[in-house]
Each structure stands twice: as C-alpha cells, then as structure tokens.
Amino acid sequence: MLQPVAVGQKTLADYTHIVGRPLIEEIRELAEPLKGSRVVHLSATAFGGGVAEILYTLIPLMKDVGLDVEWQVIYGREEFFNATKLMHNALQGAPEDLSPEQWDTWRRYNEMNSRELTGGWDTCIVHDPQPAAMYSLVPEKARLWVWRCHIDVSTPNPDTIAQLLPYIREYPQSLFHVPSYVPEGMQGTVNIVPPAIDPLAPKNMALSPEDASYVCQQFGIDVDRPLMCQVSRFDPWKDPLGVIDAYRIVKEKLPTVQLALVGSMASDDPEGWDFFNATIAHAGGDPDIHILNNFNNVGSIEVNAFQSHADVVIQKSTREGFGLTVSEAIWKGRPFIGGNVGGIPLQVRNGISGYLVDSVEECAERSVDILQDPALGKALGRRGKEHVRANFLMPRYLRDYLKIFTAGLGSLPAVEQPAA
Ligand code: UDP
C-alpha cells in the first residue's frame, strides 16, 4: 500500500563547478560515517508541488554519497486528501478546521500507513502534515524520526494546530523554512533549513534563449512581444487571479504584453481543477492570456523555457511556504516580482535582485518598470542568480540533512533490526 517511488541517478561531483569544491568536500566528510545508513522519506504524493520536486533530486544525491535511501508515498483515498487539503489550508490560516470525522479519517489513514511501514530504518523523514501522525503510532520502526514541514504555519487556525501539535511536537528533529513557522510547543530539536532547487535538473539547466523562445512559441506565445509569467499550482494562495488583474493594468500601458499562467495539477489536490476553471473564467477569453497545465504537455523543460524566456517572472502568492518557483526563476537570471510573504523574501532582496509587492497595483507598477527598462531587468537578474547560488542550491540542502542525521543518530542508542 505504501508506494515506492523510483528516482533517477545523480552525481554530486557534477555540481562542483556550480557550488564550489569546499561544499562538495564538506558533504563527503559528513557522509562518510553515515554510509549504508537506511533512510526512508514518506510523503503524500510523487507528483506536483514542491515536495515531490525536491525529493527527485535530494534522494539520488543522498544515494550518491552512500546512504541507502527510499521514498514511499502513503496510501490515501479522496476522503483522506479532502481532509488533508483542508488541514493544509487551515494550517496556513484558513478559518475552517477539519470536522471531528475528518480528523478521524486523517488518523485512520495514518494508522493504515503505519501498519504498512516496514521496520529497521535508521532514519524516517516524514514530509508535511499528511503522514505526520506516523511517528506517534510506530516510533519503534526507525531509530531517528524527522518531521519536515514545507508549509507556512506562522498564523495557523488555532484549533487545527492545537489538534496537530500532539502528533508533531515530539519528533526528535524537525525542519522549518524560517523561525516564524515553528509552532509553539515543539519539544525536539528544531532546525531552520530552507529547501533548494536542482540547477542540473531539466527544469533548471541552462537553455539557450533560442531554445527557450522556440518552446514558448509552440504554446502560442508571440516571442517578439513582452511576456509576464507565473508558474504555480492553481491554488488561491498562489493568487493567479491577482496576476491576471495586474496584467490587465500593465496592458493599459503596454498593450502588446502577454501573460502565461503555467500550473501543474497535483494528485493530492482535489481543489485544483475547480480553481483552474475559475482562473480560466477570470481570464475572460483574452487571447493574450495563456493558461497551461501539465495536461497540455507542459513538463519540466517547458516550465524551464517559460521561466527562461519571460521578461518578468511573477509569484504573487499571498501565502507561500518557500516557493521553489522563486529560486527557479531567479536562477535563470530573470527579473522577478513576488508577494512579500512566507519564504519569498528569503530569496529576493527587494530592489536588488527583484521586487517584493503587497498588492495587485504594486505588482503591475513594478512589472511596467521592468518591461520598460530591459537594463534594469538584466541587473536584477544577475544579482539574483548569485544569491540563489550561494543559498538555495541542492548541495547545501543535502549538507544540512546530513548534519541533522549526524546529530540525531549520534545521540541515540543503536537498535536491533526487527525480524522480517
Ligand atoms: N511546477 C511544475 N509545473 C507547473 C507548476 C509548478 O513543474 O505547471 C513545479 C514548480 O516548477 C516547482 C513546484 O512545482 O518546482 C512548486 O513548488 P513551490 O514550492 O513553488 O510550490 P508548492 O506547489 O509546493 O506550493
């Protein structure tokens, strides 16, 4: 029932020229005593959204440095994902908490998955709230348990966090993107670790401007006219409707501008399709608004092409755990405008490597500034790329995990492997 996910192969040495030799050597030293260590990642989906994106790179690199790593996706049916989507929204501040029945559903699926999990792991990393109860249910199945929170829980619905806290507070190690996301009452070691992107993945590898515009052209973009773009799931927190409103203001000044909204649909996100349709309705048939998703064959290379080609990349979120799309866009040297929320300000220095905005109007104004002054866009993009290189590339994230394993396992007694 727990579904294993096959990940490809990656080689840490390939990253040396991008992040520098000292970091690569530090990683090898940290990994040496952990060689052969058995690690399992548990998550809710292998497709769509940031968690899956990260694990497809992080896990191959963990394996490359000698750890024995698996990724398993928990079992869940619609009733479970309806409950966990509500929980996700409530933890990000939405007023509606789960009903008692939905909390029961969440617990029941956690029990089922816990029974299925095999034992004998050195480390079990539980991603996000969906499988978070598993530690409290089967703590004996791994020597070290780590909870990785990928969402913004800085202003949660109080009832929801109160119900969740007993399940998460005792994790010996937990990871949050920024200090303000840490709920009060966490009892283990809390680590502040932002995630990272893979500069060598098809989504982020260098594409020539010609190749990028060639790909965009195939989706109906007029590559000789300016393009604004946002890449993200169709989710109210990502505010695609606000992006459309900002584009409309820009279009009054610059009538040739186009907008691309590129969004994948995640299998654990039942709301996605409704909101996708609402976004199409909001666009009102404007032929210069291109709304694309993975069912239009928009995969990693296409996302790369849109981010590489766009004259301004936007992430106008009103809540954002981290926002991998931010570092993805900035890594391509594009001028970037983002909502001043969650993990976005970590990645963008306002006025230096992009702009942080608090409203539709501000987003439109900044877009016009950039579209009218290509030299400004270039300068923002260049500075942004170095900030991402220094802070948000995958080898740094791998190092942080290895440090946490070392600290967590070092302070624990070895356990015997249970009989199979
Ligand atoms: N993504 C994608 N195709 C799309 C939309 C998004 O591949 O059409 C990717 C995006 O490039 C990023 C991830 O999904 O790598 C989204 O992660 P992020 O942290 O930005 O947001 P989340 O979806 O986890 O809230």
Side-chain angles (χ1 to χ4, degrees):
M1 276 211 313
L2 280 160
Q3 211 55 48
V5 183
V7 294
Q9 277 188 359
K10 298 197 187 265
T11 309
L12 183 65
D14 294 345
Y15 295 74
T16 314
H17 71 287
I18 302 174
V19 299
R21 192 165 295 282
L23 178 56
I24 302 294
E25 280 169 7
E26 185 187 356
I27 291 170
R28 293 211 185 286
E29 275 167 33
L30 282 165
E32 190 55 41
L34 294 167
K35 281 216 163 114
S37 184
R38 293 192 67 220
V39 180
V40 61
H41 290 262
L42 299 176
S43 80
T45 177
F47 186 78
V51 179
E53 187 71 27
I54 291 163
L55 294 184
Y56 279 112
T57 301
L58 183 64
I59 293 174
L61 287 177
M62 282 184 173
K63 288 169 126 174
D64 184 60
V65 298
L67 281 67
D68 180 4
V69 193
E70 282 183 35
W71 175 9
Q72 299 183 6
V73 169
I74 56 167
Y75 168 74
R77 291 230 283 238
E78 201 181 343
E79 52 175 350
F80 175 68
F81 290 123
N82 285 338
T84 58
K85 187 69 207 265
L86 209 66
M87 190 190 299
H88 175 105
N89 287 343
L91 290 171
Q92 297 211 127
E96 192 189 350
D97 186 21
L98 284 72
S99 65
E101 294 73 35
Q102 285 171 315
W103 278 108
D104 280 347
T105 302
W106 175 73
R107 272 187 289 266
R108 209 173 61 245
Y109 278 88
N110 269 267
E111 283 161 12
M112 273 190 261
N113 284 295
S114 295
R115 276 196 297 275
E116 292 296 316
L117 181 68
T118 57
W121 300 98
D122 289 299
T123 305
C124 179
I125 306 172
V126 177
H127 292 270
D128 271 346
Q130 297 95 331
M134 289 177 70
Y135 169 49
S136 63
L137 293 163
V138 284
E140 71 285 359
K141 290 191 174 177
R143 292 171 62 203
L144 171 65
W145 286 78
V146 179
W147 189 54
R148 198 333 164 205
C149 177
H150 294 265
I151 60 179
D152 175 352
V153 271
S154 52
T155 52
N157 177 318
D159 296 331
T160 314
I161 191 69
Q163 294 243 38
L164 182 66
L165 196 60
Y167 298 100
I168 57 172
R169 69 178 162 216
E170 281 162 29
Y171 273 86
Q173 298 279 341
S174 57
L175 284 78
F176 296 85
H177 298 332
V178 291
S180 62
Y181 292 3
V182 183
E184 260 176 59
M186 293 298 291
Q187 292 170 357
T189 304
V190 169
N191 302 275
I192 303 302
V193 177
I197 62 163
D198 178 5
L200 298 181
K203 178 166 294 174
N204 298 313
M205 67 194 201
L207 269 191
S208 72
E210 294 73 27
D211 286 342
S213 58
Y214 186 69
V215 172
C216 291
Q217 206 163 17
Q218 294 179 40
F219 288 90
I221 305 297
D222 178 347
V223 295
D224 297 322
R225 284 160 53 199
L227 178 68
M228 299 164 67
C229 174
Q230 171 160 303
V231 175
S232 63
R233 287 181 295 109
F234 288 97
D235 179 313
W237 306 107
K238 309 282 186 185
D239 201 18
L241 307 188
V243 178
I244 292 177
D245 294 339
Y247 150 87
R248 289 209 168 105
I249 299 175
V250 174
K251 201 159 180 78
E252 282 168 22
K253 278 211 172 132
L254 304 170
T256 58
V257 74
Q258 307 163 92
L259 172 64
L261 294 173
V262 179
S264 69
M265 304 312 225
S267 61
D268 66 341
D269 182 2
E271 281 176 357
W273 284 107
D274 292 343
F275 200 66
F276 177 73
N277 291 330
T279 308
I280 291 189
H282 199 70
D286 181 337
D288 282 339
I289 302 181
H290 300 263
I291 300 178
L292 305 167
N293 69 40
N294 47 310
F295 293 91
N296 304 120
N297 233 356
V298 179
S300 297
I301 289 284
E302 289 79 9
V303 167
N304 187 338
F306 274 95
Q307 289 172 331
S308 300
H309 175 78
D311 299 279
V312 49
V313 187
I314 295 170
Q315 186 62 57
K316 213 203 133 318
S317 306
T318 53
R319 270 271 190 275
E320 189 60 78
F322 179 71
L324 290 174
T325 52
V326 178
S327 277
E328 286 168 6
I330 296 176
W331 178 246
K332 285 147 197 140
R334 305 319 292 162
F336 177 84
I337 299 174
N340 191 12
V341 293
I344 299 180
L346 268 187
Q347 302 173 70
V348 186
R349 290 169 300 170
N350 192 23
I352 299 172
S353 60
Y355 293 111
L356 296 169
V357 297
D358 292 296
S359 67
V360 164
E361 292 72 25
E362 218 183 328
C363 180
E365 266 170 45
R366 291 306 191 187
S367 300
V368 171
D369 291 346
I370 290 170
L371 292 173
Q372 285 183 327
D373 183 358
L376 168 69
K378 268 206 177 111
L380 294 172
R382 209 173 30 243
R383 291 190 290 257
K385 182 159 185 165
E386 288 318 305
H387 186 59
V388 170
R389 188 195 303 280
N391 297 288
F392 302 115
L393 298 185
M394 200 57 76
R396 187 273 304 154
Y397 195 21
L398 172 63
R399 178 200 59 195
D400 294 348
Y401 263 112
L402 295 178
K403 282 186 171 173
I404 290 167
F405 296 167
T406 307
L409 290 167
S411 61
L412 285 171
V415 290
E416 279 180 28
Q417 298 264 324

